[in-house]
Amino acid sequence: MTERNGLRSGLLGLAPILFGGLFAVTAHTALAADPAPRPALESLAALDGQAPSRRKLDIQSWRTAEGAKVLFVAASELPMFDLRLTFAAGSSQDGDAPGLAMLTNAMLNEGVAGKDATAIAQGFEGLGAQFGNGAYRDMAVASLRSLSAPDTRKAALDLFAEVVGQPSFPEDSLARIKNQVLAGFEFQKQNPGKLAANELFKRLYGDHPYAHPSDGDERSLPGLNAERMRAFHAKAYSAGNTVIALVGDLSRAEAEAVAAQVSKALPKGPALPKVAAPVAPKPGPSHIEFPSSQTHLMLAELGIERNDPDWPALYLGNQILGGGGFGTRLMEEVREKRGLTYGVYSAFTGMQARGPFMINLQTRAELSENTLKLVRQILAEYLAKGPTQKELDDAKRETAGSFPLSTASNADIVGQLGAIGFYDLPLTYLEDFMAKVQSLDVEQVKAAMAKHLDPDALVIVSAGPSVAQQELPSPTATPRQQPLSVPEH
């Protein structure tokens, strides 16, 4: 949760480590159901300051007989399709077994009847198809990319349906994956940023399901067995608990057949209840002692649910504060003027329940306390006064210019569809979002940020050495000491 969101993940409200990144772009063509002839390449000067155009997606939606929600965009530019299943089967559904959701998802392609992990991998590879999977706090995903030619499509879908619908959870694979994850836990103990992030979520969420890491912990993982995973799969990977997103060179009838086949292959069952609302935590600092030259600083408070109507205003407001890279308030004051850090970022992560708003950075240990004070001061002043008109205009222009990247490829589109379906957003969400962003004024952004953030409600975690503190350098156009070139991990 410590990485900042780019535009595409920002639109989805998903921080990269929540959704695997969640979320590389090679084209700027938004795909439509019935694409028009491609125009000749034109000079950028012809835009005359206007944002680049994008096609409006024709999103079609229906439910399968088993209750799965389907979102489909036809795209005939390439002879392929992308399929993404999003299950409400993230670590928030672990219950008393942290790591259960992660292990269940990781085991999907480790074995089915008559095929081990190698045979499954060779099966997809032999068809030129790609299988992907991942589990996060809100959700678990399984994806397929394949050529759309009927014979190849059928073979790839048959194998995919087996993998997601009837995994066998072989014991040898389970032992291997457990050992890999447990070894990862040992490595994390040498990563102050990871230690700080884990502690931050514990303090921010308390007894809430979001509090524990998605991978579980070294105490819970050894006791998880295949029987528990089969039970979790039967409940959380049911058709009624699934959103099917589909993009590619398919007709509506072909898309319906694909969705029906996948839905029928899944266990039968309803959607799981949504995660309960978290309780506001006690604010204040805590410190993790760690021998390093830098200190990690993380500041957070409860933010918003993903479908909150204030999301466009908060997205734009955060782009100005610290979400937009260079040129933001935080980068300008902390890095550019004082050379205190390589990078400082802020982000809202909208989730089923209130996700975190977070600011994170690394700085020299002897300057950490005063850097923290500076960051808190910048946040408080921004919430009190709001953005300037120039900041707002620049952020709108940057958002409009980058927006076509949100649907630049089939993979981008299928990710957007999965989020729209999972978080119950309207099918017109992408167009609505951009229209809302462009209509916002300074006072609306200021009001939204002040409504959802309180500078006195921050949970703060630092990780680094306890050393004598020094005063910060005075702000200058050229800092006397440049930040370290690479963040410490």
Side-chain angles (χ1 to χ4, degrees), residues 460-485:
I460 302 167
V461 176
S462 57
S466 295
V467 297
Q469 294 295 296
Q470 299 178 8
E471 292 297 320
L472 297 184
S474 300
T476 63
T478 304
R480 286 171 291 179
Q481 185 172 0
Q482 292 295 322
L484 297 178
S485 59

PDB file of all heavy atoms in Angstrom, residues 460-485:
ATOM      1  N   ILE A 460       0.364   7.534  12.439  1.00  0.00           N
ATOM      2  CA  ILE A 460       1.717   7.742  11.905  1.00  0.00           C
ATOM      3  C   ILE A 460       2.618   6.612  12.371  1.00  0.00           C
ATOM      4  O   ILE A 460       2.664   6.296  13.563  1.00  0.00           O
ATOM      5  CB  ILE A 460       2.284   9.098  12.374  1.00  0.00           C
ATOM      6  CG1 ILE A 460       1.369  10.240  11.922  1.00  0.00           C
ATOM      7  CG2 ILE A 460       3.701   9.295  11.850  1.00  0.00           C
ATOM      8  CD1 ILE A 460       1.659  11.556  12.588  1.00  0.00           C
ATOM      9  N   VAL A 461       3.321   6.012  11.421  1.00  0.00           N
ATOM     10  CA  VAL A 461       4.296   4.971  11.746  1.00  0.00           C
ATOM     11  C   VAL A 461       5.626   5.342  11.101  1.00  0.00           C
ATOM     12  O   VAL A 461       5.672   5.686   9.915  1.00  0.00           O
ATOM     13  CB  VAL A 461       3.847   3.583  11.249  1.00  0.00           C
ATOM     14  CG1 VAL A 461       4.934   2.546  11.515  1.00  0.00           C
ATOM     15  CG2 VAL A 461       2.555   3.164  11.934  1.00  0.00           C
ATOM     16  N   SER A 462       6.689   5.264  11.880  1.00  0.00           N
ATOM     17  CA  SER A 462       8.037   5.491  11.360  1.00  0.00           C
ATOM     18  C   SER A 462       8.867   4.243  11.602  1.00  0.00           C
ATOM     19  O   SER A 462       8.648   3.507  12.566  1.00  0.00           O
ATOM     20  CB  SER A 462       8.692   6.704  12.037  1.00  0.00           C
ATOM     21  OG  SER A 462       8.729   6.542  13.449  1.00  0.00           O
ATOM     22  N   ALA A 463       9.819   4.007  10.709  1.00  0.00           N
ATOM     23  CA  ALA A 463      10.721   2.865  10.858  1.00  0.00           C
ATOM     24  C   ALA A 463      12.122   3.316  10.482  1.00  0.00           C
ATOM     25  O   ALA A 463      12.358   3.752   9.358  1.00  0.00           O
ATOM     26  CB  ALA A 463      10.288   1.704   9.969  1.00  0.00           C
ATOM     27  N   GLY A 464      13.036   3.238  11.444  1.00  0.00           N
ATOM     28  CA  GLY A 464      14.402   3.693  11.241  1.00  0.00           C
ATOM     29  C   GLY A 464      15.128   3.776  12.561  1.00  0.00           C
ATOM     30  O   GLY A 464      14.612   3.357  13.600  1.00  0.00           O
ATOM     31  N   PRO A 465      16.336   4.338  12.576  1.00  0.00           N
ATOM     32  CA  PRO A 465      17.115   4.416  13.810  1.00  0.00           C
ATOM     33  C   PRO A 465      16.737   5.630  14.648  1.00  0.00           C
ATOM     34  O   PRO A 465      16.273   6.643  14.126  1.00  0.00           O
ATOM     35  CB  PRO A 465      18.547   4.536  13.286  1.00  0.00           C
ATOM     36  CG  PRO A 465      18.382   5.298  12.002  1.00  0.00           C
ATOM     37  CD  PRO A 465      17.085   4.829  11.413  1.00  0.00           C
ATOM     38  N   SER A 466      16.936   5.514  15.944  1.00  0.00           N
ATOM     39  CA  SER A 466      16.769   6.662  16.840  1.00  0.00           C
ATOM     40  C   SER A 466      18.095   7.401  16.915  1.00  0.00           C
ATOM     41  O   SER A 466      19.078   6.892  17.465  1.00  0.00           O
ATOM     42  CB  SER A 466      16.345   6.200  18.240  1.00  0.00           C
ATOM     43  OG  SER A 466      15.083   5.598  18.201  1.00  0.00           O
ATOM     44  N   VAL A 467      18.142   8.592  16.328  1.00  0.00           N
ATOM     45  CA  VAL A 467      19.368   9.378  16.288  1.00  0.00           C
ATOM     46  C   VAL A 467      19.039  10.819  16.657  1.00  0.00           C
ATOM     47  O   VAL A 467      17.876  11.241  16.643  1.00  0.00           O
ATOM     48  CB  VAL A 467      20.016   9.340  14.883  1.00  0.00           C
ATOM     49  CG1 VAL A 467      20.431   7.921  14.530  1.00  0.00           C
ATOM     50  CG2 VAL A 467      19.069   9.896  13.835  1.00  0.00           C
ATOM     51  N   ALA A 468      20.096  11.578  17.017  1.00  0.00           N
ATOM     52  CA  ALA A 468      19.909  12.989  17.318  1.00  0.00           C
ATOM     53  C   ALA A 468      19.362  13.708  16.083  1.00  0.00           C
ATOM     54  O   ALA A 468      19.806  13.467  14.962  1.00  0.00           O
ATOM     55  CB  ALA A 468      21.238  13.608  17.756  1.00  0.00           C
ATOM     56  N   GLN A 469      18.391  14.593  16.310  1.00  0.00           N
ATOM     57  CA  GLN A 469      17.714  15.259  15.206  1.00  0.00           C
ATOM     58  C   GLN A 469      18.351  16.608  14.879  1.00  0.00           C
ATOM     59  O   GLN A 469      18.930  17.268  15.742  1.00  0.00           O
ATOM     60  CB  GLN A 469      16.239  15.459  15.545  1.00  0.00           C
ATOM     61  CG  GLN A 469      15.480  14.160  15.675  1.00  0.00           C
ATOM     62  CD  GLN A 469      15.405  13.413  14.351  1.00  0.00           C
ATOM     63  OE1 GLN A 469      14.802  13.904  13.394  1.00  0.00           O
ATOM     64  NE2 GLN A 469      16.020  12.233  14.293  1.00  0.00           N
ATOM     65  N   GLN A 470      18.235  16.984  13.599  1.00  0.00           N
ATOM     66  CA  GLN A 470      18.775  18.242  13.124  1.00  0.00           C
ATOM     67  C   GLN A 470      17.659  19.102  12.547  1.00  0.00           C
ATOM     68  O   GLN A 470      16.590  18.608  12.187  1.00  0.00           O
ATOM     69  CB  GLN A 470      19.833  17.987  12.049  1.00  0.00           C
ATOM     70  CG  GLN A 470      21.021  17.186  12.509  1.00  0.00           C
ATOM     71  CD  GLN A 470      22.011  16.922  11.380  1.00  0.00           C
ATOM     72  OE1 GLN A 470      21.876  17.465  10.278  1.00  0.00           O
ATOM     73  NE2 GLN A 470      23.021  16.094  11.653  1.00  0.00           N
ATOM     74  N   GLU A 471      17.927  20.396  12.480  1.00  0.00           N
ATOM     75  CA  GLU A 471      16.967  21.313  11.873  1.00  0.00           C
ATOM     76  C   GLU A 471      16.947  21.098  10.355  1.00  0.00           C
ATOM     77  O   GLU A 471      17.957  20.709   9.755  1.00  0.00           O
ATOM     78  CB  GLU A 471      17.360  22.763  12.174  1.00  0.00           C
ATOM     79  CG  GLU A 471      17.221  23.149  13.647  1.00  0.00           C
ATOM     80  CD  GLU A 471      15.780  23.061  14.119  1.00  0.00           C
ATOM     81  OE1 GLU A 471      14.880  23.463  13.344  1.00  0.00           O
ATOM     82  OE2 GLU A 471      15.559  22.565  15.241  1.00  0.00           O
ATOM     83  N   LEU A 472      15.814  21.390   9.761  1.00  0.00           N
ATOM     84  CA  LEU A 472      15.703  21.257   8.309  1.00  0.00           C
ATOM     85  C   LEU A 472      16.432  22.405   7.610  1.00  0.00           C
ATOM     86  O   LEU A 472      16.493  23.521   8.143  1.00  0.00           O
ATOM     87  CB  LEU A 472      14.230  21.273   7.882  1.00  0.00           C
ATOM     88  CG  LEU A 472      13.337  20.150   8.392  1.00  0.00           C
ATOM     89  CD1 LEU A 472      11.941  20.297   7.779  1.00  0.00           C
ATOM     90  CD2 LEU A 472      13.915  18.792   8.063  1.00  0.00           C
ATOM     91  N   PRO A 473      16.955  22.151   6.428  1.00  0.00           N
ATOM     92  CA  PRO A 473      17.530  23.255   5.641  1.00  0.00           C
ATOM     93  C   PRO A 473      16.432  24.217   5.211  1.00  0.00           C
ATOM     94  O   PRO A 473      15.273  23.828   5.056  1.00  0.00           O
ATOM     95  CB  PRO A 473      18.154  22.533   4.442  1.00  0.00           C
ATOM     96  CG  PRO A 473      17.386  21.264   4.307  1.00  0.00           C
ATOM     97  CD  PRO A 473      17.037  20.864   5.719  1.00  0.00           C
ATOM     98  N   SER A 474      16.799  25.453   5.013  1.00  0.00           N
ATOM     99  CA  SER A 474      15.821  26.435   4.533  1.00  0.00           C
ATOM    100  C   SER A 474      15.450  26.129   3.089  1.00  0.00           C
ATOM    101  O   SER A 474      16.283  25.645   2.318  1.00  0.00           O
ATOM    102  CB  SER A 474      16.419  27.849   4.615  1.00  0.00           C
ATOM    103  OG  SER A 474      16.756  28.165   5.949  1.00  0.00           O
ATOM    104  N   PRO A 475      14.212  26.390   2.721  1.00  0.00           N
ATOM    105  CA  PRO A 475      13.804  26.120   1.337  1.00  0.00           C
ATOM    106  C   PRO A 475      14.528  27.024   0.348  1.00  0.00           C
ATOM    107  O   PRO A 475      14.653  28.228   0.573  1.00  0.00           O
ATOM    108  CB  PRO A 475      12.303  26.400   1.348  1.00  0.00           C
ATOM    109  CG  PRO A 475      12.095  27.317   2.503  1.00  0.00           C
ATOM    110  CD  PRO A 475      13.112  26.943   3.535  1.00  0.00           C
ATOM    111  N   THR A 476      15.036  26.446  -0.713  1.00  0.00           N
ATOM    112  CA  THR A 476      15.717  27.208  -1.753  1.00  0.00           C
ATOM    113  C   THR A 476      15.330  26.637  -3.111  1.00  0.00           C
ATOM    114  O   THR A 476      14.802  25.533  -3.215  1.00  0.00           O
ATOM    115  CB  THR A 476      17.254  27.118  -1.615  1.00  0.00           C
ATOM    116  OG1 THR A 476      17.658  25.762  -1.793  1.00  0.00           O
ATOM    117  CG2 THR A 476      17.718  27.626  -0.267  1.00  0.00           C
ATOM    118  N   ALA A 477      15.629  27.385  -4.160  1.00  0.00           N
ATOM    119  CA  ALA A 477      15.364  26.902  -5.517  1.00  0.00           C
ATOM    120  C   ALA A 477      16.265  25.718  -5.855  1.00  0.00           C
ATOM    121  O   ALA A 477      15.884  24.819  -6.597  1.00  0.00           O
ATOM    122  CB  ALA A 477      15.563  28.025  -6.534  1.00  0.00           C
ATOM    123  N   THR A 478      17.493  25.702  -5.282  1.00  0.00           N
ATOM    124  CA  THR A 478      18.432  24.596  -5.484  1.00  0.00           C
ATOM    125  C   THR A 478      18.889  24.109  -4.120  1.00  0.00           C
ATOM    126  O   THR A 478      19.696  24.767  -3.461  1.00  0.00           O
ATOM    127  CB  THR A 478      19.657  25.040  -6.299  1.00  0.00           C
ATOM    128  OG1 THR A 478      19.221  25.596  -7.536  1.00  0.00           O
ATOM    129  CG2 THR A 478      20.569  23.847  -6.556  1.00  0.00           C
ATOM    130  N   PRO A 479      18.361  22.982  -3.631  1.00  0.00           N
ATOM    131  CA  PRO A 479      18.729  22.495  -2.305  1.00  0.00           C
ATOM    132  C   PRO A 479      20.227  22.279  -2.179  1.00  0.00           C
ATOM    133  O   PRO A 479      20.895  21.839  -3.117  1.00  0.00           O
ATOM    134  CB  PRO A 479      17.971  21.154  -2.205  1.00  0.00           C
ATOM    135  CG  PRO A 479      16.846  21.277  -3.176  1.00  0.00           C
ATOM    136  CD  PRO A 479      17.363  22.137  -4.279  1.00  0.00           C
ATOM    137  N   ARG A 480      20.744  22.571  -0.985  1.00  0.00           N
ATOM    138  CA  ARG A 480      22.172  22.413  -0.766  1.00  0.00           C
ATOM    139  C   ARG A 480      22.590  20.945  -0.800  1.00  0.00           C
ATOM    140  O   ARG A 480      23.692  20.609  -1.178  1.00  0.00           O
ATOM    141  CB  ARG A 480      22.544  23.021   0.595  1.00  0.00           C
ATOM    142  CG  ARG A 480      22.542  24.544   0.599  1.00  0.00           C
ATOM    143  CD  ARG A 480      22.702  25.101   1.990  1.00  0.00           C
ATOM    144  NE  ARG A 480      21.503  24.827   2.803  1.00  0.00           N
ATOM    145  CZ  ARG A 480      21.378  25.191   4.065  1.00  0.00           C
ATOM    146  NH1 ARG A 480      22.376  25.835   4.659  1.00  0.00           N
ATOM    147  NH2 ARG A 480      20.280  24.940   4.732  1.00  0.00           N
ATOM    148  N   GLN A 481      21.705  20.065  -0.384  1.00  0.00           N
ATOM    149  CA  GLN A 481      22.011  18.641  -0.424  1.00  0.00           C
ATOM    150  C   GLN A 481      20.874  17.932  -1.144  1.00  0.00           C
ATOM    151  O   GLN A 481      19.732  17.970  -0.724  1.00  0.00           O
ATOM    152  CB  GLN A 481      22.142  18.067   0.993  1.00  0.00           C
ATOM    153  CG  GLN A 481      22.585  16.615   1.002  1.00  0.00           C
ATOM    154  CD  GLN A 481      22.894  16.150   2.431  1.00  0.00           C
ATOM    155  OE1 GLN A 481      22.773  16.897   3.372  1.00  0.00           O
ATOM    156  NE2 GLN A 481      23.298  14.906   2.550  1.00  0.00           N
ATOM    157  N   GLN A 482      21.207  17.300  -2.264  1.00  0.00           N
ATOM    158  CA  GLN A 482      20.190  16.607  -3.045  1.00  0.00           C
ATOM    159  C   GLN A 482      19.765  15.317  -2.343  1.00  0.00           C
ATOM    160  O   GLN A 482      20.546  14.722  -1.588  1.00  0.00           O
ATOM    161  CB  GLN A 482      20.728  16.281  -4.436  1.00  0.00           C
ATOM    162  CG  GLN A 482      20.963  17.510  -5.288  1.00  0.00           C
ATOM    163  CD  GLN A 482      19.679  18.239  -5.607  1.00  0.00           C
ATOM    164  OE1 GLN A 482      18.651  17.621  -5.835  1.00  0.00           O
ATOM    165  NE2 GLN A 482      19.734  19.558  -5.633  1.00  0.00           N
ATOM    166  N   PRO A 483      18.547  14.861  -2.581  1.00  0.00           N
ATOM    167  CA  PRO A 483      18.095  13.609  -1.967  1.00  0.00           C
ATOM    168  C   PRO A 483      18.885  12.413  -2.508  1.00  0.00           C
ATOM    169  O   PRO A 483      19.471  12.472  -3.592  1.00  0.00           O
ATOM    170  CB  PRO A 483      16.632  13.525  -2.388  1.00  0.00           C
ATOM    171  CG  PRO A 483      16.549  14.342  -3.624  1.00  0.00           C
ATOM    172  CD  PRO A 483      17.527  15.472  -3.432  1.00  0.00           C
ATOM    173  N   LEU A 484      18.878  11.354  -1.725  1.00  0.00           N
ATOM    174  CA  LEU A 484      19.513  10.139  -2.183  1.00  0.00           C
ATOM    175  C   LEU A 484      18.863   9.673  -3.478  1.00  0.00           C
ATOM    176  O   LEU A 484      17.660   9.796  -3.676  1.00  0.00           O
ATOM    177  CB  LEU A 484      19.386   9.033  -1.121  1.00  0.00           C
ATOM    178  CG  LEU A 484      20.088   9.320   0.214  1.00  0.00           C
ATOM    179  CD1 LEU A 484      19.827   8.175   1.178  1.00  0.00           C
ATOM    180  CD2 LEU A 484      21.577   9.514   0.006  1.00  0.00           C
ATOM    181  N   SER A 485      19.664   9.132  -4.403  1.00  0.00           N
ATOM    182  CA  SER A 485      19.148   8.828  -5.742  1.00  0.00           C
ATOM    183  C   SER A 485      18.217   7.632  -5.764  1.00  0.00           C
ATOM    184  O   SER A 485      17.327   7.548  -6.592  1.00  0.00           O
ATOM    185  CB  SER A 485      20.309   8.570  -6.696  1.00  0.00           C
ATOM    186  OG  SER A 485      21.093   7.493  -6.238  1.00  0.00           O
TER     187      SER A 485
END
